[in-house]
Amino acid sequence: MLDTSQRFAYNEDHEAFRDTVRKVFAEHMTPYLDQHEADGIVPRSAWKALGEAGMLCPTVKEENGGLGLDFGFNCVLCEELSYLGSSAGFTLQNDITANYIERLGTDEQRAKYLPGMVSGDVISAIAMTEPGAGSDLQGIRTTAVKDGNHLVVNGSKTYITNGQNADVIIVVAKTDPTQGAKGTTLVLVDADTPGFERGRNLDKIGQHSADTSELFFNECRVPMTNILGGEGRGFIHLMEELPQERLGIAVGAQAAAQRAFDEAVKFTKDRKAFGKTVFEFQNTKFVLADLKAKLQVGWAHLDWAIKKHLAGELTTDEASAAKLWHTDLQWEACDKALQLHGGAGYMNEYAIARLWRDARVTRIFGGTNEIMKEVISRSI
């Protein structure tokens, strides 16, 4: 269990919410983690359970069917989910897609999607990445061409979180391919739109419980009213959301690093070798001491970043630095914790194996850590 006694980003309401999250996870997530991993998806029943407990999209305003809480509540859920060791796509809906629709959507769009996203009846995805375009979003090739009062969407997306479950997808498409980034638009595509097809639930190294999919759009006709935000302003809208998205990744990474450390402490204090516990060897104590120091710094920095974001002051380069640092720490903690498990760490029956597998992608998604350095360097 995460120790939050020394945290300064949260208040009593956040911690009461954390208690609710833990109770709901204990009933609806923890007993089924292995099943979720085996199935490659978290069932809609779990989404409904979280929705009924007020754990989905807590920042959505009351007039849009939500609770109107601050982003700290999202962070609490993200920490607990990551510490649990689940890669369920709840945080994508909480931290990213709900904010796009509430901030950029029309009254009709908000009324259509947000209440269901809060209740768990509507699951969302955002489709940016393509086979030929990852961190470079200006290179996307999916098009949304005007035809009367409709847009005709053609193209393919890949590595899309919630792709198998999604009822609505925010598609990043080119409405004017001649304009580069300025020709990019966000388009809402419902999953029952003719011409939309889901591809494979992709076979990944880790994060097995996250349904991550290929999506195909073949002459998908959607009304012009499905444009989200301004036409031709898609790239700008994406950039506006980056601080919150990257902070969310940092939050999950820090919690996962803490879980890896806790697993290593528990294992090494229990496991014996050469007549004493593995913990008693100097190397073990030094590795764990180094990680504990970095985790202490990490939690302090994370609380600083959360507080700054809650005040509306976290910059893109600061959020990128957080994503870079905390995901690097996550990998270091998971890899060293696995090493301290010895051969047991390579066995899937131990939690550290899942934590290690799941950690590898966090330095890639949300913009690779190499791109984070590029972004940070521009602010120097």
Side-chain angles (χ1 to χ4, degrees):
M1 182 180 294
L2 280 172
D3 178 9
T4 61
S5 60
Q6 302 299 313
R7 304 290 298 278
F8 61 85
Y10 301 127
N11 59 35
E12 291 180 359
D13 291 336
H14 293 120
E15 293 306 330
F17 181 73
R18 190 185 299 274
D19 289 340
T20 298
V21 171
R22 288 174 174 171
K23 289 174 184 174
V24 173
F25 280 178
E27 181 178 355
H28 297 282
M29 292 294 293
T30 305
Y32 308 107
L33 287 178
D34 290 339
Q35 190 63 50
H36 297 166
E37 290 277 299
D39 293 344
I41 196 168
V42 174
R44 298 183 74 96
S45 58
W47 286 80
K48 283 289 292 177
L50 266 67
E52 290 171 3
M55 291 164 50
L56 293 179
C57 313
T59 60
V60 169
K61 297 182 177 72
E62 291 184 36
E63 59 262 34
N64 295 318
L67 296 173
L69 304 174
D70 64 54
F71 186 72
F73 291 84
N74 294 39
C75 294
V76 166
L77 185 135
C78 182
E79 288 175 6
E80 293 298 326
L81 185 70
S82 191
Y83 191 83
L84 180 67
S86 172
S87 52
F90 307 134
T91 53
L92 177 94
Q93 182 144 310
N94 284 7
D95 300 354
I96 301 174
T97 55
N99 207 45
Y100 274 102
I101 293 173
E102 182 160 54
R103 188 172 67 86
L104 303 173
T106 62
D107 289 343
E108 292 76 14
Q109 289 169 345
R110 289 193 289 264
K112 180 177 180 180
Y113 298 112
L114 289 176
M117 290 170 66
V118 170
S119 68
D121 291 300
V122 174
I123 298 174
S124 59
I126 184 165
M128 302 185 200
T129 304
E130 298 181 2
S135 294
D136 179 17
L137 293 174
Q138 298 184 60
I140 65 166
R141 299 178 65 181
T142 296
T143 57
V145 177
K146 294 180 186 177
D147 182 18
N149 60 353
H150 282 74
L151 291 170
V152 181
V153 183
N154 282 285
S156 63
K157 300 288 184 177
T158 194
Y159 313 146
I160 307 305
T161 300
N162 294 342
Q164 295 293 313
N165 263 334
D167 302 293
V168 60
I169 302 99
I170 301 172
V171 180
V172 183
K174 289 286 182 69
T175 44
D176 187 350
T178 67
Q179 293 296 308
K182 294 181 179 178
T184 304
T185 302
L186 305 183
V187 182
L188 292 163
V189 177
D190 295 319
D192 59 1
T193 303
F196 168 72
E197 292 183 21
R198 307 178 202 268
R200 297 174 295 152
N201 191 357
L202 297 167
D203 183 12
K204 308 183 295 294
I205 290 174
Q207 300 217 337
H208 293 157
S209 59
D211 55 310
T212 308
S213 308
E214 300 170 315
L215 304 178
F216 301 100
F217 307 87
N218 182 21
E219 297 291 302
C220 286
R221 292 180 63 85
V222 300
M224 290 286 290
T225 53
N226 278 32
I227 288 176
L228 183 62
E231 182 179 348
R233 293 183 58 81
F235 192 75
I236 293 171
H237 295 324
L238 292 169
M239 295 304 103
E240 290 167 343
E241 292 297 324
L242 285 177
Q244 182 161 298
E245 178 182 353
R246 289 173 179 166
L247 175 60
I249 295 171
V251 169
Q254 177 71 21
Q258 184 69 57
R259 175 68 189 277
F261 172 84
D262 293 347
E263 289 297 317
V265 171
K266 182 172 65 175
F267 182 87
T268 57
K269 286 187 173 182
D270 182 65
R271 184 63 174 258
K272 288 185 169 55
F274 303 104
K276 56 183 177 179
T277 65
V278 173
F279 180 81
E280 293 176 84
F281 289 100
Q282 186 183 65
N283 178 71
T284 303
K285 290 188 285 188
F286 280 15
V287 168
L288 291 172
D290 181 60
L291 287 177
K292 183 175 181 179
K294 290 175 179 175
L295 285 164
Q296 177 179 312
V297 172
W299 285 117
H301 174 262
L302 192 67
D303 279 357
W304 168 85
I306 292 170
K307 293 278 281 186
K308 195 160 190 184
H309 184 59
L310 290 175
E313 298 172 355
L314 189 70
T315 64
T316 298
D317 59 281
E318 288 169 342
S320 300
K323 194 266 185 185
L324 169 68
W325 196 89
H326 289 276
T327 57
D328 278 349
L329 175 61
Q330 178 188 13
W331 179 251
E332 180 185 2
C334 289
D335 197 55
K336 288 181 176 178
L338 189 150
Q339 185 73 18
L340 290 176
H341 278 69
Y346 208 63
M347 300 297 112
N348 284 326
E349 64 189 272
Y350 287 88
I352 190 60
R354 181 184 301 164
L355 291 163
W356 183 83
R357 290 196 313 270
D358 290 356
R360 186 59 189 89
V361 75
T362 63
R363 291 180 291 152
I364 297 173
F365 63 30
T368 65
N369 280 13
E370 290 74 20
I371 293 294
M372 296 305 97
K373 293 176 184 178
E374 179 69 27
V375 172
I376 297 162
S377 72
R378 293 172 188 167
S379 69
I380 298 172

